[in-house]
């Protein structure tokens, strides 16, 4: 399949790099939107960004991150989008990121953000985060005696390999222990977190930010419904389906998000995009679940003007790096 743009790479070793059908004109900025083999033409939401960039005179290629022989240096900006197959190949993905000049977000941010142990650093910086216990492969995992807990890998995408367990129930307790063993056997660090019941009523709030001259500027917010109904079940899917609705962010949520971004190593001003995911804690105040700085869904189709705001952020970054 091809999208509009010049031939750049065709099918190589069974993988395809998609491009535009026209040659870029002299001086026309070139941007790569990076995806994975399973989504060779991006996900529908990111196609809105591609169209908005094209409307601004930006030549856009859709490129698979691990396609061979891609001339990444030939782009004015390389923007990571739906690279959702990286979780079981993180070392390879991070190594790739360090080879790409003008990558958004930067490679050191990708390395830091693709392992959820960044939550410890954010907690130390004063950000309210979900209390988390880490279970390293080869070490016995200690599960709490009772209560509902989530078990998931420290490196993951799309909420896969994640389960919810009632540890007071013997069957669930065994399934949670099996889940930890399964992750450890695969060489993956596991995380154990209390299940925040606020998600069952208020849902999860994702706050989306697009890069500005001094750091990401708030664009819009969405509500995600609860996703973990029980123990982890094997899946061949790339991500779990979510119910998404528009949401108005509160001042308290925005304050937590700003505090979170301020704690990003190297400074938030380097970020082209950011997503801050919050759930009400036991007392109702927002608690950080995840900070998505690598390949987050941007939910551009759920807020008027969102695709244009992100496209403008890309154009601004292109001008700053020209």
């Amino acid at each position: 399949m091809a999208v509009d743009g010049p031939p750049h790479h065709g099918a190589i070793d069974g993988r395809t790099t998609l491009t535009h059908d026209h040659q870029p004109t002299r001086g026309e900025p070139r941007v790569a939107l990076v995806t994975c083999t399973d989504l060779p033409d991006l996900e529908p939401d990111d196609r809105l960004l591609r169209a908005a960039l094209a409307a601004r005179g930006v030549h856009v290629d859709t490129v698979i991150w691990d396609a061979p022989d891609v001339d990444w240096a030939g782009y004015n900006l390389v923007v990571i989008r739906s690279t959702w197959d990286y979780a079981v190949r993180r070392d390879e993905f991070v190594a790739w990121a360090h080879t790409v000049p003008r990558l958004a977000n930067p490679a050191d941010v990708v390395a830091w953000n693709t392992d959820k142990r960044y939550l410890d650093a954010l907690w130390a910086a004063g950000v309210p985060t979900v209390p988390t216990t880490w279970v390293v492969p080869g070490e016995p995992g200690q599960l709490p005696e009772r209560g509902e807990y989530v078990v998931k890998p420290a490196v993951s995408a799309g909420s896969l390999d994640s389960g919810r367990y009632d540890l007071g129930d013997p069957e669930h307790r065994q399934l949670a222990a099996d889940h930890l063993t399964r992750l450890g056997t695969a060489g993956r660090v596991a995380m154990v977190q209390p299940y925040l019941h606020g998600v069952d009523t208020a849902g999860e709030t994702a706050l989306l930010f697009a890069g500005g001259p001094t750091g990401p500027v708030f664009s819009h917010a969405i509500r995600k419904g609860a996703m973990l109904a029980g123990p982890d079940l094997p899946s061949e899917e790339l991500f779990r389906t979510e119910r998404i609705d528009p949401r108005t962010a509160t001042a308290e949520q925005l304050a937590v998000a700003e505090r979170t971004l301020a704690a990003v190593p190297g400074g938030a001003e380097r970020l082209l995009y950011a997503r801050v995911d919050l759930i009400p804690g036991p007392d109702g105040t927002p608690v950080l679940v995840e900070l998505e700085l690598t390949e987050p869904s941007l939910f551009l189709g759920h807020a008027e003007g969102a695709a244009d705001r992100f496209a403008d952020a890309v154009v601004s970054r292109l001008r700053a790096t020209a």
Side-chain angles (χ1 to χ4, degrees):
M1 186 187 329
V3 294
D4 38 330
H8 181 55
H9 297 283
I12 306 174
D13 294 342
R15 291 174 289 193
T16 303
T17 304
L18 301 177
T19 58
H20 286 190
D21 292 331
H22 70 277
Q23 292 289 344
T25 59
R26 184 179 299 275
E28 184 180 29
R30 301 183 73 229
V31 169
L33 298 183
V34 188
T35 185
C36 64
T37 303
D38 292 312
L39 293 167
D41 194 27
L42 301 171
E43 59 147 347
D45 198 63
D46 284 328
R47 293 175 204 155
L48 300 175
L49 175 60
R50 184 172 64 193
L53 287 170
R56 286 157 173 76
V58 178
H59 168 82
V60 182
D61 287 348
T62 303
V63 190
I64 294 170
W65 72 270
D66 58 347
D69 303 322
V70 177
D71 179 18
W72 298 108
Y75 292 101
N76 301 95
L77 190 65
V78 176
V79 183
I80 301 174
R81 291 309 318 122
S82 43
T83 56
W84 296 338
D85 61 352
Y86 81 88
V88 295
R89 304 162 58 197
R90 176 179 174 267
D91 290 348
E92 181 183 348
F93 182 70
V94 170
W96 164 81
H98 281 286
T99 70
V100 180
R102 297 178 293 280
L103 182 68
N105 285 324
D108 64 298
V109 171
V110 170
W112 179 77
N113 186 241
T114 49
D115 187 324
K116 293 180 178 62
R117 283 176 284 187
Y118 66 74
L119 289 170
D120 282 353
L122 293 177
W123 177 84
V127 176
T129 63
V130 184
T132 305
T133 299
W134 309 97
V135 182
V136 177
E139 296 183 1
Q142 297 296 321
L143 292 168
E145 289 299 321
R146 60 187 68 257
E148 288 195 88
Y149 281 79
V150 172
V151 175
K152 60 184 179 180
V155 179
S156 65
S159 297
L160 296 182
D161 302 311
S162 302
R164 170 183 171 185
Y165 303 92
D166 180 356
L167 298 183
D169 178 278
E171 181 181 358
H172 268 227
R173 188 173 189 82
Q174 184 60 54
L175 289 171
D178 292 344
H179 191 170
L180 289 177
T181 299
R182 187 164 64 250
L183 292 174
T185 300
R188 305 175 76 181
V189 175
M191 49 199 299
V192 180
Q193 298 175 319
Y195 183 77
L196 299 181
H197 288 273
V199 72
D200 295 327
T201 52
E204 180 177 328
T205 301
L207 291 83
L208 286 301
F209 292 77
T214 59
V217 177
F218 177 68
S219 169
H220 60 286
I222 59 92
R223 178 192 186 277
K224 296 192 289 182
M227 296 179 62
L228 299 181
D232 177 50
L233 298 174
S235 173
E236 297 299 324
E237 300 296 326
L238 192 61
F239 56 89
R240 287 181 174 171
T241 303
E242 304 170 309
R243 171 168 177 169
I244 307 298
D245 297 292
R247 166 162 278 179
T248 300
T250 67
E252 191 174 24
Q253 289 170 336
L254 287 167
V256 171
E258 295 287 356
R259 194 188 319 169
T260 301
L261 294 176
V264 173
E269 66 276 2
R270 300 188 301 148
L271 303 178
L272 175 64
Y273 52 84
R275 195 182 92 197
V276 181
D277 294 344
L278 305 173
I279 292 177
D283 63 355
T285 60
V287 172
L288 179 73
V289 181
E290 289 190 29
L291 171 61
E292 298 268 12
L293 304 179
T294 303
E295 31 59 56
S297 295
L298 299 176
F299 306 114
L300 301 178
H302 293 270
E304 184 176 355
D308 291 324
R309 287 191 288 276
F310 273 83
D312 287 341
V314 171
V315 170
S316 177
R317 182 62 58 91
L318 287 168
R319 290 171 179 162
T321 57

